[in-house]
Amino acid sequence: MLLNERTAAEYRYAVEQGALRVAARLEEVDAPFTGATPDELEAVIAGIDLETPLTGVAAALDEVEEIYLRDAVYFHHPRYLAHLNCPVAIPALLGEALLAPINSSLDTWDQSAGATMIERRLVEWTARRIRLGAGADGVFTSGGTQSNLQALHIARDEACARGADPADMRIFVSEAGHFSVKKAATLLGLAENAVVTIPCDPAMRMSPPILEHELTACQHVPMAVVATAGTTDFGSIDPLAQIAELCKRSGAWMHVDAAYGCGLLVSRKRRHLLAGLELADSVTVDFHKAFFQPISSSAVIVRDAQTLRHVTHHADYLNPKSSENPNQVDKSLQTTRRFDALKLWLTLRMLGADGIGDMFDRVIDLAAEAYEVVEADPRFEVAAKPALSTLVFRYRGDDEANRFARSALLASGEAVVAGTKLGGRQYLKFTLLNPETTREDVIEVLDLLAEHAAHFMSREEALA
Ligand SMILES: *Cc1c(COP(=O)(O)O)cnc(C)c1O
C-alpha cells in the first residue's frame, strides 16, 4: 500500500469507529447527565497511566467512553435547559468532520486558500444581514469573549488616535451586560473603574435617560458604549437606536454585543427586534449559540473595514508588509486559527438561513409558553417576561431552597438548569436552545425542581 493510501485507510477506520461510538451513545442517552461528581471523575482520570499508550482504536475508544462519553453533559437532550449551549446542526457537524483532518489555518492565504474566501464570504453575508453597509468587514473568532475584546481594542485605538489617554477612558454597559466587557477593559490596560454600569428598566434593557446622564456627567473620555442585543440572563435587547444617537452625540464607539441575539438575523418572525443594530460601529455574533454551531464559531464585524488596521502587525516569516495575498491574520488577534466558517457555510447551504432562523424562533416560542406555565404555577414566581429564549424564575421559598433544587437536579442527572441572581436573591434559569424541547419537558422539570425545593424546606422545618 502507498503511504497515503495507508493514511487514508487509518483515518477512515478511526473516524468511522469514533462516529459509531458517538451515534450509539446519542441513541442511548436518556438524561442530560449521569450526575457524576468531580471526585469520581478525577479519580477515574487520575488512574490512567499516560506513560503507557493503548494499542488500537477500540481500546482508546473504550477508555474515552469511561472517562468522557459516559458522563458528559449532553446539550442535545431536551431536558438540558441550563446555559447558552446549543444542540448542534448536523450540516455543521459535517463541516467539523471535514475541517479537522484538512486542518487549514486561516492566518495566511498560503495555509488556507479557498478557506479564506469562504470565511470572507460569510463575514460579508453577516455584515449584509446586519445592514452595516458596503464598507464593513470582520473576522471569525473563538467566541463572544474574544469578539468583544477585539471590538473594544479597536475602539480604544480609535480613541487613542484622537489623542485620548487609555487611563482616562470609560466604557458604558448595562448591569445585565456580559462580564467579558470588564475582562476586556482589564486586558486593554484601562483604569480599574473604567467600566461604568448603567441600570436597566424593569424589562432588563439599558436605560437611555441614565446613559445620557452618565455620558453628560462623564469627566473622562467616553471610549465606547456596549449595548447588548440579547442579555445572557434575560435575552433583553437594549434600545439600540436611542443608544446609537447618544453615541453619536458623545463621540463614543457603539459596540453591540449580539452574541446571543444574533440568531434574530435569520428569523423570519422577529428580525425587527434588532432594529438599530445597523447603526453600530462593531457587532459581536456568536454562531455557536443561536446558530446551532459546534464550539467554536463566532465573529466580530466592524462598520469600517479600515479600523481593523489596529490589530494588523507584520511578521517577515508570515505576512510581510509586501505580501499581496489576502492574509486574514492581518484582521485577527489570533495567528493559527480554525476554519470554523466551513460549519456555518454547510449549514447555510444545507438548511438555509430560514432553517436556522426557524429553529431559533421555535425556542423563543417555547420560552413564551414556559412563561405562561410558570406564571400560572403558584409554586414559582417569574422575574421578567422572556425577550428571547431564557426564563428567570424562582421557587417561592428561601434562596437556599432554590440553590438546593438546582444542585440536587444536577446530581440526579434528570435535567440541568442554570441559576442567577437578581436584586440579591437567588433565581433559577431556563435557557431554551433545543428546538426539540417540549412544553411537557418544561412541566416535568418544574415538577422535579419543586420536589427538590419542597424536600429541602421540609428538612429545614424539621431541624428548626
Ligand atoms: C455568551 C456570551 C458572551 C461570551 O461569549 P463566549 O462565546 O462564551 O466567549 C458574550 N456576551 C454575551 C451577551 C453572551 O451571552
Side-chain angles (χ1 to χ4, degrees):
M1 229 194 293
L2 293 171
L3 183 63
N4 279 349
E5 274 176 39
R6 204 173 66 221
T7 305
E10 246 177 65
Y11 160 69
R12 193 178 293 123
Y13 179 72
V15 171
E16 277 175 3
Q17 293 301 305
L20 290 173
R21 291 288 179 120
V22 172
R25 177 58 56 176
L26 291 186
E27 284 169 348
E28 211 172 277
V29 160
D30 59 2
F33 187 41
T34 58
T37 66
D39 285 347
E40 283 163 7
L41 289 180
E42 187 183 27
V44 173
I45 290 164
I48 306 264
D49 177 10
L50 290 176
E51 306 305 329
T52 314
L54 297 164
T55 41
V57 171
L61 285 172
D62 287 345
E63 187 175 280
V64 165
E65 291 252 16
E66 278 292 298
I67 64 173
Y68 175 53
L69 293 179
R70 193 186 58 204
D71 299 302
V73 177
Y74 284 95
F75 302 156
H76 74 280
H77 193 280
R79 288 197 304 274
Y80 176 83
L81 311 177
H83 301 286
L84 274 169
N85 315 108
C86 49
V88 284
I90 299 218
L93 286 182
L94 177 60
E96 191 73 65
L98 296 179
L99 71 92
I102 310 300
N103 205 24
S104 298
S105 182
L106 270 282
D107 39 346
T108 55
W109 167 256
D110 70 354
Q111 302 175 72
S112 61
T116 284
M117 296 310 167
I118 289 171
E119 170 165 301
R120 287 184 164 208
R121 257 313 281 287
L122 287 176
V123 164
E124 199 183 293
W125 176 85
T126 309
R128 191 167 303 157
R129 285 258 164 186
I130 299 172
R131 303 176 190 145
L132 272 185
D137 197 3
V139 72
F140 272 63
T141 70
S142 62
T145 302
Q146 193 189 352
S147 296
N148 284 344
L149 173 63
Q150 179 164 349
L152 292 171
H153 180 310
I154 291 169
R156 181 199 64 185
D157 289 0
E158 284 286 300
C160 285
R162 293 193 304 267
D165 172 4
D168 196 34
M169 294 180 189
R170 295 292 180 271
I171 300 172
F172 301 81
V173 62
S174 95
E175 57 182 322
H178 197 260
F179 76 109
S180 56
V181 172
K182 285 209 174 103
K183 210 187 257 190
T186 307
L187 292 169
L188 293 171
L190 306 189
E192 207 174 304
N193 54 353
V195 177
V196 180
T197 305
I198 306 296
C200 287
D201 67 13
M204 301 310 287
R205 295 172 301 207
M206 188 195 287
S207 159
I210 302 179
L211 175 64
E212 181 173 15
H213 174 265
E214 288 289 339
L215 284 169
T216 312
C218 182
Q219 303 287 315
H220 305 273
V221 177
M223 175 197 121
V225 176
V226 178
T228 312
T231 59
T232 314
D233 277 350
F234 299 95
S236 45
I237 298 169
D238 290 340
L240 302 176
Q242 281 171 275
I243 292 171
E245 180 57 34
L246 295 173
C247 286
K248 210 164 120 190
R249 269 196 254 155
S250 64
W253 179 275
M254 179 178 177
H255 175 61
V256 180
D257 179 356
Y260 176 19
C262 63
L264 297 173
L265 290 172
V266 286
S267 161
R268 284 188 277 193
K269 285 162 73 173
R270 299 182 172 91
R271 171 63 181 81
H272 61 275
L273 295 178
L274 292 177
L277 183 63
E278 70 282 0
L279 302 168
D281 292 304
S282 56
V283 180
T284 286
V285 292
D286 252 4
F287 300 116
H288 61 212
K289 288 175 178 168
F291 275 72
F292 305 95
Q293 300 295 294
I295 302 159
S296 55
S297 183
S298 177
V300 61
I301 311 287
V302 294
R303 155 183 309 287
D304 175 4
Q306 299 306 316
T307 59
L308 290 172
R309 74 182 180 283
H310 295 302
V311 299
T312 308
H313 297 269
H314 294 283
D316 291 334
Y317 82 92
L318 191 68
N319 61 333
K321 225 172 188 163
S322 58
S323 171
E324 278 168 14
N325 288 333
N327 296 325
Q328 292 290 87
V329 71
D330 295 349
K331 307 176 187 180
S332 175
L333 298 182
Q334 288 167 270
T335 305
T336 305
R337 190 161 55 81
R338 290 166 55 84
F339 180 26
D340 288 317
L342 183 61
K343 299 180 287 193
L344 179 60
W345 181 271
L346 280 169
T347 308
L348 286 178
R349 300 305 295 140
M350 292 170 71
L351 290 181
D354 289 347
I356 307 169
D358 289 351
M359 292 198 288
F360 194 44
D361 273 324
R362 210 170 311 151
V363 294
I364 299 175
D365 290 339
L366 178 65
E369 269 191 66
Y371 169 75
E372 280 171 19
V373 169
V374 181
E375 263 289 278
D377 189 331
R379 298 172 298 180
F380 297 98
E381 59 186 294
V382 182
K385 210 167 173 167
L388 295 177
S389 68
T390 60
L391 181 66
V392 178
F393 62 99
R394 67 192 307 284
Y395 180 78
R396 291 182 197 270
D398 51 31
D399 283 356
E400 214 39 62
N402 280 279
R403 268 192 289 270
F404 176 86
R406 181 186 172 203
S407 55
L409 189 63
L410 179 70
S412 77
E414 289 186 276
V416 188
V417 305
T420 192
K421 280 200 165 171
L422 182 64
R425 301 182 78 189
Q426 185 63 44
Y427 279 78
L428 300 163
K429 178 172 80 164
F430 288 160
T431 305
L432 304 170
L433 269 187
N434 188 340
E436 296 191 355
T437 299
T438 62
R439 180 193 182 94
E440 286 62 45
D441 288 312
V442 167
I443 291 170
E444 226 170 281
V445 175
L446 287 169
D447 284 343
L448 291 169
L449 283 167
E451 270 170 43
H452 289 300
H455 174 71
F456 177 86
M457 300 286 279
S458 61
R459 214 176 56 188
E460 290 287 284
E461 271 166 36
L463 288 173

